[in-house]
Amino acid sequence: MNFRNSFRRVMQHGLLVIAGLGCGIVHAQKASDKDVDQKVEALLSKMSIEEKVGQMTQVTIDLILEDSSLDAIDDKKLKEAILNKKVGSILNVKGSAYTMETWHKIQKRIQEVATKETPNKIPVLYGIDAIHGANYIEGATLFPHNIGMAASRNSELVKQSAKITAIETRASGIRWNFDPVLGLGRQPLWSRFEETFGEDVHLVTAMGTAAIKGYEEDGLKSPTAVASCMKHYLGYSIPASGKDRTPAYIPEYTLREYLLPPFKSAVDAGTSTVMINSGEINGVPVHASKYLLTDLLRGELGFEGVAVSDWEDVIRLHTRHKVADTPKEAVRLAVEAGLDMSMVPYDYSFYDLLLELVKDGAISESRIDESVRRIIKLKYKLGLFDNPFPEKAALAKVDAKKSQEVALNAARETITLLKNEKSVLPLKEGAKVLVAGPAANNLTSLHSSWSYVWQGNDDRQYPKSTLTIKEGLEAKLGKGNVISAAQRDYNNAANFDAGQLKKDAANVDYIILCLGEDAYAETPGNIDDLTLDSRQLALASAAVATGKPVILVLVEGRPRVISSIENDIPGILLAYRPSTMGAQAIAEVLTGEYNPNGILPYTYPKHTGDLIKYDHKYTEGIREDEPNTYTNGAYRPQWAFGHGLSYTTFEFSNLKADKATFSAGEKLNLTVTVKNTGKRAGKVTVELYSRDLFASITPNFKRLRKFEKIELAAGASKQVSFTVSPEELAFINAQGKKVTEAGTFEFIVKDQVVSVEYKTGQEN
């Protein structure tokens, strides 16, 4: 169903289930935080232990649906969940995305039972994974995945997409979104790499914080807001094996220097909830770590919101991690560690076992009260006690046209031109092209995970209006100028037919070869080798052998190694997972209608065993061809972090600092001049790096500190300014303290370098 038409029909039918939703709990007054706290305590004092334990229980929608249905509620099952087991939260969809009307029916019935038939009339908090748009609403516009959004270096775009996601999610009646991912993308084998904002601490922090503001800054009672969820706390994104949900081994230094800052910033930005890492760190499952969940998260970071488990992870303390000898002990470990809510999700075992633990005296009721207090407070803040039903005001905010405009702008700015030998791009006017490869006429690879279905791999679920790359190029060049035998199914043998490619290439000017990865999510996306698969490499070799200029379009969620073919391909475009408007954006870049400006948010490796990051230590830079040489020369990726080309050129000059020395309490101001030296307007990201020449802990070769994206007309110049404080140059020392030590710092913008002396060492 078309998303816009879906909303229109809802409006025409009197908002369907929303009409007459004045029933239920209505508190007209807007409560202050103090009033909310008083209401929470008053309610808590009236609740039975069964109600409290129920509030800590989250189950999937499957438990309340009719056995043979994907969306019809079974009233008997619903009442078992809400009335007998006192469940406080429900999540997910069954099978695929629902229409807006279906979401309204589901939300209305759940809240009717919760607010009319329970003793204390506590509404249910519904949660969803709206990861790159309202991806579980049928026909919704989806935005590029985070890895692409990071390539845009445009935090305002991240914020805009989050705001639209919040509006559309809230319009469905859902007020809790399990997003954003704040793990660093430093393990490219990991199957959730596409959900990260890349490998750099500052980049992930800036983008993640922007998303949280987009979700929450209007205030949780607003029809334009949802509760955000920083995830997955902590260390989930760097499993040692590269496989999803497997162990990580993380020194305290690495945890604090690299992994913790995005979560600290998220807490400071006011994120309402946190989801826990499914894996383990140094042999301790995070769901069972009181140090991580209580001492560090609550005590040190000051987080006051709701901590929810990931899927079935309390159960897995017994079945998978083997740290609990019984399911009951698993529940005890998680709750005592600091968990507030268990995503059980397919049964009521958590409720039953936690109730037993409290009645046995193994867990105190006061400990239960801590968690329930947080959950109830969140429900008050979200306005669920005022009106738990889908809101007319939220639905009125939905603007499908604006969603598509923002998604198109985002897709444009994410696309990264990696190679453009002899200016093979943009395509010459009137060009005739062959569009080949498994991603050429395929929707699922453009979107991947969390796209109408969990895996994003069901072509039937995508809106009919969504274009493939082939269709996008036909729209730009005309169907007569596009030849393609590509099939919709990614793995169709025809998509790898080198013989057909050779025949089709005879009468074209270019070959647009679309390779990469099909859709996947989480564990099903595990791989053993970063190298692009042999079928695709063979197809690329066949394309090169035709003698026609080959333009490679990479549609992938993580960097797949292509060093065996890269040298023979003059033009390479990295599209990441651009989603709904991706095909149009790719076509615009290829034809030159849009000037590309995305830059890499990660280091693109040349070899599967060479995973050195841009911010490596000097001692990582051992040159095998120059023994005992420690230089940046060993950082030799396919393409470096921050790399990205344009159809114009930019010159950087006159990097200056406003002082030669600075001290604690002072700010350092730096300026650099950027000039567009080409013949067309373009956007460019100005990145400021710092280098600590000597330190008590081996310093990084360089670290990203600031970035700003600007647009310049041909021939135009602009002075860009950055302000840096001593605290922003701090690092974790051998004693685990965050310090800025006296010494010389170099500041770097492209080929410009300026040195500044920091005079006063200080613990921050």
Side-chain angles (χ1 to χ4, degrees):
M1 179 186 299
N2 179 275
F3 191 45
R4 195 180 306 172
N5 289 341
S6 174
F7 282 121
R8 188 180 294 120
R9 188 158 74 243
V10 171
M11 296 295 287
Q12 290 171 344
H13 288 201
L15 297 173
L16 289 178
V17 298
I18 297 183
L21 292 187
C23 57
I25 308 166
V26 178
H27 300 288
Q29 296 178 331
K30 182 178 180 181
S32 67
D33 285 345
K34 185 176 180 181
D35 290 337
V36 168
D37 288 340
Q38 290 174 345
K39 289 180 178 181
V40 169
E41 294 306 319
L43 180 55
L44 197 63
S45 69
K46 295 189 292 182
M47 293 172 67
S48 67
I49 188 60
E50 288 81 6
E51 286 178 290
K52 292 176 181 179
V53 169
Q55 287 299 306
M56 296 173 67
T57 303
Q58 184 182 63
V59 298
T60 185
I61 193 173
D62 301 55
L63 280 188
I64 64 169
L65 296 179
E66 294 176 359
D67 292 337
S68 60
S69 174
L70 298 179
D71 57 24
I73 288 181
D74 182 319
D75 252 27
K76 184 177 180 181
K77 290 182 178 180
L78 178 63
K79 292 185 177 184
E80 171 66 13
I82 305 297
L83 304 184
N84 294 341
K85 299 300 184 180
K86 326 293 184 187
V87 165
S89 183
I90 299 173
L91 81 154
N92 217 14
V93 295
K94 184 179 180 182
S96 62
Y98 297 152
T99 65
M100 190 65 75
E101 295 97 323
T102 297
W103 273 122
H104 290 167
K105 290 175 184 176
I106 289 169
Q107 298 298 320
K108 178 177 183 285
R109 186 60 192 135
I110 289 171
Q111 301 295 9
E112 280 178 341
V113 173
T115 61
K116 291 180 179 179
E117 300 184 37
T118 61
N120 286 304
K121 307 187 185 309
I122 303 172
V124 166
L125 176 58
Y126 207 101
I128 201 75
D129 288 285
I131 302 301
H132 60 130
N135 47 262
Y136 281 132
I137 298 176
E138 187 177 298
T141 296
L142 304 188
F143 302 96
H145 268 292
N146 286 347
I147 198 65
M149 296 299 282
S152 76
R153 296 298 197 275
N154 189 336
S155 55
E156 183 59 31
L157 269 179
V158 173
K159 184 177 172 183
Q160 283 181 334
S161 65
K163 181 86 72 179
I164 290 169
T165 302
I167 290 169
E168 295 181 358
T169 301
R170 181 109 180 192
S172 74
I174 300 172
R175 305 190 193 185
W176 186 11
N177 184 18
F178 304 134
D179 192 65
V181 169
L182 299 181
L184 269 64
R186 298 177 79 89
Q187 170 48 285
L189 282 170
W190 189 50
S191 57
R192 302 191 74 168
F193 191 90
E194 65 190 27
E195 297 179 53
T196 76
F197 286 111
E199 73 183 41
D200 177 69
V201 180
H202 176 69
L203 181 58
V204 172
T205 299
M207 295 297 189
T209 301
I212 287 164
K213 289 179 179 177
Y215 288 132
E216 298 206 22
E217 70 176 357
D218 292 345
L220 293 184
K221 283 198 174 184
S222 169
T224 61
V226 293
S228 64
C229 184
M230 59 179 184
K231 68 183 194 185
H232 303 78
Y233 177 87
L234 185 66
Y236 182 41
S237 65
I238 54 171
S241 70
K243 303 297 192 296
D244 189 41
R245 286 177 164 83
T246 58
Y249 304 95
I250 305 172
E252 189 77 4
Y253 163 78
T254 301
L255 185 145
R256 291 180 174 275
E257 182 69 30
Y258 295 97
L259 305 179
L260 201 58
F263 289 93
K264 175 65 169 71
S265 180
V267 172
D268 293 343
T271 189
S272 293
T273 71
V274 62
M275 186 178 289
I276 311 306
N277 171 12
S278 297
E280 59 188 67
I281 297 177
N282 305 332
V284 179
V286 180
H287 281 80
S289 173
K290 190 167 187 177
Y291 167 67
L292 292 175
L293 300 190
T294 297
D295 300 345
L296 186 56
L297 179 63
R298 306 254 181 222
E300 191 171 321
L301 298 191
F303 178 66
E304 297 179 350
V306 174
V308 62
S309 83
D310 205 340
W311 192 267
E312 208 175 86
D313 281 335
V314 173
I315 292 171
R316 290 169 180 167
L317 293 177
H318 170 64
T319 61
R320 179 178 292 178
H321 295 288
K322 307 292 186 181
V323 295
D325 57 4
T326 64
K328 188 173 181 178
E329 175 63 5
V331 172
R332 190 195 69 79
L333 281 174
V335 173
E336 290 290 22
L339 189 70
D340 295 319
M341 183 183 290
S342 173
M343 190 184 290
V344 189
Y346 283 119
D347 58 42
Y348 302 105
S349 58
F350 179 84
Y351 172 87
D352 294 334
L353 295 172
L354 183 54
L355 195 58
E356 288 180 23
L357 285 163
V358 176
K359 291 183 175 180
D360 292 346
I363 293 179
S364 68
E365 188 167 355
S366 63
R367 167 63 193 93
I368 300 301
D369 286 349
E370 290 177 15
S371 290
V372 178
R373 186 175 286 114
R374 296 177 189 126
I375 295 165
I376 296 298
K377 185 171 184 177
L378 178 58
K379 291 184 178 185
Y380 269 111
K381 290 173 72 175
L382 282 166
L384 284 167
F385 283 92
D386 299 322
N387 174 20
F389 300 100
E391 304 149 296
K392 294 179 182 180
L395 192 59
K397 295 286 185 180
V398 173
D399 185 340
K401 183 178 179 181
K402 182 179 179 181
S403 299
Q404 290 190 349
E405 288 173 354
V406 173
L408 178 57
N409 286 334
R412 288 167 173 158
E413 292 204 26
T414 63
I415 293 171
T416 304
L417 180 59
L418 296 175
K419 187 176 180 181
N420 196 18
E421 206 170 69
K422 297 180 180 179
S423 298
V424 68
L425 288 173
L427 303 173
K428 65 184 180 182
E429 191 173 348
K432 194 167 188 176
V433 302
L434 167 61
V435 185
N441 195 26
N442 174 266
L443 289 179
T444 57
S445 59
L446 287 171
H447 297 73
S448 195
S449 57
W450 310 106
S451 298
Y452 310 111
V453 295
W454 171 45
Q455 292 293 307
N457 59 0
D458 187 350
D459 179 87
R460 298 167 300 174
Q461 303 297 327
Y462 289 85
K464 300 297 183 185
S465 58
T466 307
L467 301 179
T468 66
I469 296 173
K470 167 185 169 287
E471 292 166 340
L473 282 167
E474 286 175 340
K476 290 294 174 191
L477 300 175
K479 288 189 176 182
N481 289 321
V482 176
I483 294 175
S484 182
Q487 302 299 303
R488 298 272 291 203
D489 176 14
Y490 196 92
N491 289 303
N492 190 306
N495 290 329
F496 306 92
D497 188 340
Q500 185 66 48
L501 181 146
K502 183 178 179 180
K503 290 178 187 176
D504 291 341
N507 297 307
V508 300
D509 300 302
Y510 302 87
I511 299 174
I512 310 297
L513 191 61
C514 306
L515 307 180
E517 300 183 304
D518 197 5
Y520 54 77
E522 302 188 54
T523 304
N526 284 348
I527 57 174
D528 296 316
D529 189 349
L530 275 177
T531 307
L532 195 64
D533 69 85
S534 59
R535 293 182 304 170
Q536 297 193 66
L537 293 176
L539 191 67
S541 295
V544 169
T546 66
K548 298 296 175 75
V550 178
I551 312 300
L552 176 58
V553 179
L554 291 169
V555 183
E556 57 190 21
R558 54 195 159 196
R560 301 304 295 264
V561 171
I562 58 168
S563 53
S564 65
I565 60 171
E566 179 272 334
N567 193 55
D568 297 319
I569 297 177
I572 302 178
L573 207 66
L574 177 57
Y576 309 96
R577 301 293 200 185
S579 297
T580 301
M581 305 305 294
Q584 180 177 334
I586 291 167
E588 289 179 355
V589 170
L590 289 172
T591 59
E593 182 177 329
Y594 186 81
N595 190 357
N597 51 70
I599 61 176
L600 280 173
Y602 54 79
T603 298
Y604 202 114
K606 183 177 289 187
H607 308 289
T608 60
D610 184 7
L611 300 180
I612 297 176
K613 307 305 176 191
Y614 93 90
D615 57 356
H616 59 84
K617 299 299 185 81
Y618 286 85
T619 46
E620 289 182 89
I622 300 174
R623 287 285 297 268
E624 66 276 7
D625 53 343
E626 296 179 23
N628 300 316
T629 298
Y630 299 83
T631 72
N632 192 48
Y635 178 62
R636 291 178 289 183
Q638 193 74 65
W639 295 285
F641 174 87
H643 172 75
L645 305 175
S646 169
Y647 293 149
T648 189
T649 53
F650 297 95
E651 179 182 87
F652 295 78
S653 63
N654 207 25
L655 177 62
K656 291 182 178 179
D658 67 339
K659 52 180 73 76
T661 64
F662 73 122
S663 303
E666 293 185 321
K667 301 283 188 181
L668 181 67
N669 298 303
L670 299 113
T671 56
V672 66
T673 300
V674 186
K675 183 177 182 180
N676 183 341
T677 54
K679 296 181 180 180
R680 63 179 292 176
K683 294 180 180 180
V684 62
T685 298
V686 186
E687 293 190 309
L688 175 71
Y689 293 86
S690 74
R691 179 181 295 137
D692 194 347
L693 296 189
F694 297 93
S696 60
I697 286 283
T698 55
N700 300 88
F701 182 75
K702 65 178 182 179
R703 291 283 292 271
L704 179 65
R705 299 302 182 187
K706 305 275 183 174
F707 59 88
E708 182 180 340
K709 195 168 195 176
I710 61 173
E711 184 170 12
L712 292 173
S717 298
K718 182 176 181 179
Q719 188 180 75
V720 178
S721 302
F722 297 106
T723 300
V724 178
S725 68
E727 292 78 13
E728 290 172 311
L729 302 173
F731 63 90
I732 302 300
N733 69 8
Q735 290 73 46
K737 302 295 184 181
K738 192 173 184 181
V739 298
T740 308
E741 294 178 343
T744 301
F745 287 88
E746 288 183 344
F747 293 92
I748 307 145
V749 177
K750 291 294 185 181
D751 59 347
Q752 302 288 298
V753 182
V754 64
S755 296
V756 179
E757 192 79 10
Y758 181 65
K759 288 292 190 181
T760 307
Q762 176 183 316
E763 184 176 304
N764 296 315

